[in-house]
Each structure stands twice: as C-alpha cells, then as structure tokens.
Amino acid sequence: MCGIVGILGTKPVAADIVDALRRLEYRGYDSAGIATLENGKIGRRRAPGKLRNLEDRLRESPLDGLAGIGHTRWATHGAPTEGNAHPHMVGDVVIVHNGIIENFAELKQELIADGATFETQTDTEVVAQLVARARAGGMSPREAVRTTLARLEGAFALAIMFRDEPDLLIGARKGAPLAVGHGEGQMFIGSDAMALAPFTNRITYLEDGDWVALTRRSMELYDVEGRQTVRPMSFSQVSSNLVDKGNHRHFMAKEIAEQPEVVGHTLAEYVDFAERKIRLPDKLRFDFAKLDRLTITACGTAAYAGLVAKYWFERFARLPVEVDIASEFRYREAPLPKNGLAIVISQSGETADTLAALRYCKSQGQHTLAIVNVPESTIAREAEIVFRTYAGPEIGVASTKAFTCQLTVLACLAIGAARQRGAISAEKENELVSALVEAPRHMAEILKQEKHVADIAKQISHARDVLFLGRGINYPIALEGALKLKEISYIHAEGYAAGELKHGPIALIDETVPVIVIAPRDELYEKTVSNMEEVAARGGRIVLLTEADAAGAAHDRFERISIPHANPFISPLLYAVPVQLLAYHAAVIIGTDVDQPRNLAKSVTVE
Ligand code: M6R
C-alpha cells in the first residue's frame, strides 16, 4: 500500500524523505515521488518503478528544500506512470495520499463542471483541487483542509503542504494509518513509526478522523468533530536499523529460515517450559469457560491461521468457532453472542478489512483479542487485549514467519482455553505443550531439506496449474500452500480439502498438473492416501509431504518430502515450511520479484 512521509526540517530533507520511503518499501508500491518547498517554489520529482528510479531523478536534478513530502504509490486509480505518481500539485497546494476517495467521481464531475481541468487519473487529484479552490477563494490553509476533509468519503491518509507556507505541514487520517514524529525543532509525519525511526522515537498516533497542523515547533490536533484535542505521545520501540537480508538472497528466504527461532521466541512468551503449561495473562477480561462461541476474522494467510485454530479450539476446547475472511464478515451483519469473544489476526495490524471487523465486533459488545506482529499498529491499539507474535519485522510480501508465529499463539490459546473450560486434563495439556515446544526443532530439520525441495520446485515451475490437497487440520495448509505459490510465482494454484476432490476438481487432473499432497500420519492419513491414489490413477504428478517413517509401497512412486514424526497437533506448523519453500524456489527459478510480487502490497490499508 502507499507510504507517506513528510518532514519540516532544519536542513535539506530530500535524502531523509527517500530514506524514510525506503523503510516503507515493504508495504509494496509501483511508483514514488517527492516534493520540497524552496524559495517560495514547489520542486517535485517523480518516477515509476522502484525508489532507485526516483533517486536517479534526484541525482540529475536535486531538491534542496527544508520541508517536503514523499510518497510510494500502490496504484488504485490510474496506471503506475510518472504522471499519476504523487505528490500531486494544484496551484499552491501539494499533496500525498494513501487510501481511496470513494466519492472522487462525483467530486471530479462537480469540479469539471466548475471549470477545473485534471492532469491525472487519480482520485487524489480531486483533494488537491478542492484544497486549492478553497485557498483561491480566500480560506486559510487550515480552513481549506478542514472544509475539504468534510467532503471526502472513503478511507485515507493525507499529507499536504502549501507553496507559501514553508513552516506548515498538514496531515489527516480516516481509516488509513498516520503518525506524527516529534523532533528537536523539526516535525515529521509518516505512515508508521518504522518510517520515522531514524529521526525520532517520540510518536503521536492520529486517531480516526483526526487531522493535524504541524509547524517545526507546534502541533495542533483536531478530532473528527473538529474539536481541538490532545493525543498522547508514546516512545516507539521500533529500531532505527534498516532490516537487512543477512546472507540471504531475498527477505522471504531469510524469514522462512528464521522460523525455528521466532516460533521459539513466541512460545517463550506463552509457555511455562518447566511446568509444560500455557501461561494466559491475568488481565483477560473474559473466561473461556463462559463462552458459547468464538468468532475469528482475518485476511489472506492470517485467515488460514484462523482456520487451523478452528480445528484446535473445537477439538481440544470443545468451543464452537466461526471463521470468516474480514472483507466478507465486515458487511454481513453477523449476529454475535452477548459477551462473546472475537479474535482478529493480522501481521501488519493495519489491514483495513480486519480493522473494520474488529470495530464491528466491538460495536456488538464482544470482547476483542488481537493477534498482531506490529505492536504499535492500529489493530493492536484498538483491541481489548493483544497477543503479540514475536516474528520480528516481516518484509517479504508473502507472509511466512508471521504465519507460523500466529499458529503458535493460536495453539497456546486453544490449549489455555481447553484448560479453562475443563475440556482437557492436566496430562493432556502437558502432552500438547510438550509437542508444541518441539516445533522449532522439527522446523529446523525440515529446513535442512531445502536443496531437495528446490529440486522439486524446479519441476513445479514449468506447470501452469498446481493443486494442493490436505485434510482436517492441514486443509488450511493446502490453502496456504496454494496462496503462497500463486502470489510469488504467478503459477495458478488451488488448495482443496482432499475429500472434496471428486466433487469437481479431479476433472483438472492430467500429467501436466502437479498435486502436492499434505499427509501427516494422523487419523485421516489413510483417507488422504486414498484420495492421492485417485489422482495417481488419472496420471496426476504427485508430490507427497509426509513423515519419514510413513510406510506404504505406493509412496515410492512419488516425489516425496519427509517431515519429522511429531504429534499431529503441531503438524500445521511443520507442513507450512515445505510449502513455503516450494513456492519460494519455484518463484526464484521463474525469476519473479519474490519480495515484492507484482500488484501486491504488504500492508493492505484499503478495502
Ligand atoms: O497484515 P495482515 O496479516 O493483516 O495481512 C493479511 C493478508 O493481506 C496477508 O496475509 C496476505 O494474504 C499475504 N500476502 C499472504 O502471503
């Protein structure tokens, strides 16, 4: 998604703005731009593609202003061309924007009818036009922004500067995140604390509907009702070090390899290793024993973590669970039980649909629990209780270590819930926790097979379509394997419950379609193997993921990736790793942009 940076500085700001934009690169973008104020003029440079293109422009033609705004654009309205790249300028106004102005078409019509001409296909330009018109009509910058904001519908964050106001930077937030950074005689604005970390750790997060007028020495903040207000300043823990790839070729490779370590860190937060018990925080304001139902919402990979959790909570805690993708859940006005518990799961903590689902659940009187990786994110700040994943910064667009850390937290919660509900004995808790703490070691074993997985990925890389099959608790891992493969290699892939195959998808099977079968030695193993034989009988090319000691002559006929023998309870954590590796190596062989695949964003702040 788009990234926003603004600086009121004491020295030329262009280089710092580019540095901050680099820290927002992980969000995904397809063009970038910057504007600074210098000697009563607005200087602007923009470029399609990566930040290095913008840097080339700045080298050819530097900007020296002491105040400026910058932007990485993830195109929504209009192709990712230089002309559509932000900042957008109309008259004395220059503006960057993240999000979508939903009523832009009617505003544009109105402006055109009033004589305005448009240079871009973006929705953003209507905002610049409205502010510029208000200014031309004699309004002050603050008044012009305030009246413009009142006309905008949608979810957005904005940073706005004025040619003749070199000590003024206005920011606004509705739906999309925006933070203010406080410096010494300097002020900053950014999409997140990570962008601002090199400059300051003193951060004020805007709340929904807030807008703020900054000078180098002051901050005036207004809430959604237009009342001047104060928001707390917090000290961000985000490191100013730019996360690097270490010895890895891609962030995704590094993040896959980190999983034994970060799953271990996450376990350390929620497990009493000596007692082999789950530690639930005392501050829980709900009792799992009193719940009739649990509602889990999330998007993409995080939703698949929720789907795995459904199996865990229902089986071990005997607690019915409803899982839905947040983009559907938020609009279907689901009736929710009184005092129920809603869990939202999000790596970024900024996903627009998941945030909306959280707010809906709050409005329906639910207790809310967020599983997030970014502790200062909007979802973390708005949920009643936060269970952090300790994955560390995840930069690759494809979620890997965040997913297994989400599974880890959910497994702990499910065991904790089972204990509170009296659904498992102390011995059973002991057994499950003992299995869980073994997960990092098993994951490390699986990672040792990377070369073998890469060889199999080579065969898959020629396919047009790939199917992933799993059953029970590993059905969501089949979905996740397919999502991973398609998002980074662009090979069409689908995940299916193995038992569902003969209800339609089996028609796709021929010798050109690799079928990845996820089959741990659990109570459904034989059934999955039968489904696999149905595929083999129709010429499908099978890659079997199962335990090293899984017997059966049939298996020798297929490509095989051996997974260590473990309690089936933790199998989703283990089988996630080879499907990630398959996707990664297929993408590397094909030569796609693994960490920033086309059309995708890391942090999806629009719906
Ligand atoms: O930040 P979130 O966990 O809320 O993001 C949710 C999805 O956008 C995310 O998992 C997405 O599906 C990934 N690209 C999957 O690899």
Side-chain angles (χ1 to χ4, degrees):
M1 289 292 107
C2 306
I4 287 179
V5 177
I7 303 180
L8 290 172
T10 49
K11 59 179 179 45
V13 292
D16 281 348
I17 289 177
V18 171
D19 278 356
L21 290 178
R22 179 154 293 108
R23 300 170 70 82
L24 292 171
E25 270 193 305
Y26 75 94
R27 297 162 72 93
Y29 69 105
D30 33 42
S31 59
I34 175 170
T36 68
L37 304 183
E38 192 183 344
N39 302 328
K41 291 200 181 111
I42 300 172
R44 179 171 65 156
R45 308 287 178 267
R46 297 174 298 167
K50 296 291 179 194
L51 268 181
R52 59 175 171 272
N53 301 342
L54 176 63
E55 287 178 296
D56 289 345
R57 296 275 155 93
L58 283 164
R59 254 190 302 277
E60 288 157 15
S61 180
L63 292 173
D64 291 326
L66 308 189
I69 51 181
H71 190 259
T72 45
R73 173 174 187 249
W74 185 81
T76 58
H77 298 66
T81 57
E82 177 170 345
N84 285 330
H86 300 210
H88 291 297
M89 263 164 65
V90 176
D92 290 349
V93 177
V94 62
I95 186 165
V96 290
H97 161 223
N98 169 19
I100 292 177
I101 308 299
E102 286 174 358
N103 58 337
F104 93 98
E106 69 195 64
L107 291 172
K108 191 167 177 175
Q109 265 337 97
E110 177 190 312
L111 286 159
I112 289 172
D114 201 27
T117 51
F118 281 78
E119 289 179 356
T120 76
Q121 285 92 50
T122 65
D123 52 342
T124 309
E125 197 181 348
V126 298
V127 187
Q129 291 269 5
L130 286 171
V131 177
R133 287 196 160 223
R135 277 291 278 148
M139 285 188 196
S140 70
R142 285 168 177 76
E143 205 45 27
V145 171
R146 195 185 58 75
T147 51
T148 299
L149 290 175
R151 303 214 54 204
L152 305 181
E153 289 169 18
F156 51 80
L158 297 161
I160 308 170
M161 296 192 99
F162 298 85
R163 185 188 58 76
D164 48 355
E165 296 275 352
D167 193 25
L168 179 65
L169 170 59
I170 296 186
R173 169 197 174 160
K174 185 181 165 209
L178 199 64
V180 170
H182 304 260
E184 296 301 332
Q186 305 183 82
M187 280 289 193
F188 307 90
I189 217 161
S191 292
D192 62 26
M194 182 120 103
L196 304 182
F199 316 122
T200 180
N201 67 348
R202 290 184 293 145
I203 302 290
T204 299
Y205 291 101
L206 300 197
E207 305 221 337
D208 242 19
D210 284 355
W211 67 276
V212 68
L214 303 175
T215 70
R216 286 177 176 78
R217 302 209 169 265
S218 70
M219 172 170 97
E220 272 165 52
L221 204 150
Y222 299 88
D223 68 12
V224 69
E225 307 292 347
R227 289 177 300 232
Q228 193 162 356
T229 188
V230 178
R231 303 277 179 226
M233 189 179 73
S234 55
F235 289 90
S236 166
Q237 305 294 318
V238 175
S239 160
S240 61
N241 297 331
L242 204 53
V243 181
D244 67 19
K245 296 179 197 147
N247 294 327
H248 297 272
R249 190 166 157 193
H250 298 100
F251 280 109
M252 184 180 176
K254 173 171 173 265
E255 289 158 5
I256 291 173
E258 282 172 349
Q259 290 180 105
E261 189 186 345
V262 295
V263 165
H265 289 164
T266 304
L267 281 169
E269 289 298 315
Y270 303 109
V271 167
D272 178 337
F273 285 88
E275 297 284 327
R276 302 267 144 160
K277 283 175 68 176
I278 295 300
R279 283 198 308 245
L280 287 181
D282 300 334
K283 57 184 176 184
L284 284 188
R285 274 192 256 151
F286 55 87
D287 183 350
F288 276 110
K290 297 207 174 106
L291 296 180
D292 296 326
R293 186 157 61 98
L294 186 62
T295 308
I296 302 182
T297 48
C299 297
T301 288
Y304 296 148
L307 201 48
V308 173
K310 176 181 170 72
Y311 287 82
W312 281 331
F313 276 103
E314 291 192 339
R315 169 166 294 193
F316 297 111
R318 307 307 301 155
L319 178 58
V321 178
E322 187 199 353
V323 184
D324 203 355
I325 46 175
S327 54
E328 285 301 312
F329 177 82
R330 65 180 289 187
Y331 291 116
R332 72 181 166 85
E333 298 178 24
L336 299 174
K338 202 163 179 295
N339 283 325
L341 173 65
I343 297 183
V344 294
I345 309 166
S346 176
Q347 187 286 128
S348 63
E350 301 293 352
T351 302
D353 287 321
T354 310
L355 178 59
L358 168 70
R359 288 177 178 163
Y360 175 76
C361 291
K362 278 173 93 172
S363 76
Q364 299 300 302
Q366 303 297 287
H367 292 290
T368 55
L369 185 161
I371 298 175
V372 291
N373 198 40
V374 180
E376 294 166 12
S377 58
T378 310
I379 289 176
R381 283 181 284 122
E382 292 197 13
E384 184 180 309
I385 181 158
V386 175
F387 275 63
R388 279 183 62 186
T389 48
Y390 291 84
E394 189 180 68
I395 306 296
V397 160
S399 186
T400 52
K401 61 177 181 169
F403 176 61
T404 45
C405 287
Q406 287 161 354
L407 290 177
T408 305
V409 173
L410 287 160
C412 292
L413 270 172
I415 300 171
R419 182 181 71 215
Q420 270 194 357
R421 292 170 70 80
I424 55 170
S425 62
E427 291 72 40
K428 187 69 181 173
E429 175 172 10
N430 214 279
E431 176 203 319
L432 295 174
V433 172
S434 301
L436 201 50
V437 300
E438 292 294 316
R441 183 170 64 81
H442 293 318
M443 292 169 121
E445 277 304 307
I446 296 166
L447 287 168
K448 288 184 191 158
Q449 297 184 61
E450 183 160 359
K451 166 104 190 40
H452 173 56
V453 180
D455 288 342
I456 296 175
K458 197 167 188 177
Q459 300 165 34
I460 289 175
S461 66
H462 302 298
R464 202 188 62 179
D465 307 289
V466 177
L467 293 187
F468 286 75
L469 302 182
R471 263 180 186 266
I473 204 161
N474 284 291
Y475 161 47
I477 302 302
L479 298 173
E480 169 63 1
L483 175 61
K484 222 69 319 160
L485 185 66
K486 72 182 129 196
E487 73 177 324
I488 59 166
S489 74
Y490 317 149
I491 296 172
H492 172 243
E494 297 295 336
Y496 279 101
E500 192 61 14
L501 196 66
K502 57 174 90 58
H503 299 288
I506 201 162
L508 297 173
I509 302 296
D510 65 20
E511 57 291 342
T512 66
V513 181
V515 182
I516 318 295
V517 182
I518 299 163
R521 290 285 282 182
D522 58 15
E523 73 284 2
L524 299 173
Y525 174 73
E526 302 298 345
K527 295 188 189 302
T528 310
V529 167
S530 300
N531 299 136
M532 181 179 77
E533 290 296 356
E534 292 158 10
V535 172
R538 285 154 184 88
R541 288 158 49 201
I542 287 164
V543 178
L544 175 61
L545 276 58
T546 190
E547 285 159 40
D549 56 0
H555 307 154
D556 303 333
R557 292 184 273 126
F558 309 129
E559 290 288 0
R560 187 163 159 164
I561 300 171
S562 293
I563 307 300
H565 177 69
N567 187 323
F569 166 58
I570 63 161
S571 57
L573 279 153
L574 308 190
Y575 285 75
V577 178
V579 300
Q580 294 165 352
L581 287 172
L582 273 175
Y584 172 73
H585 285 286
V588 169
I589 292 159
I590 293 167
T592 57
D593 187 345
V594 171
D595 285 330
Q596 288 173 8
R598 69 184 179 203
N599 307 338
L600 289 177
K602 182 69 180 161
S603 183
V604 184
T605 53
V606 294
E607 53 176 308

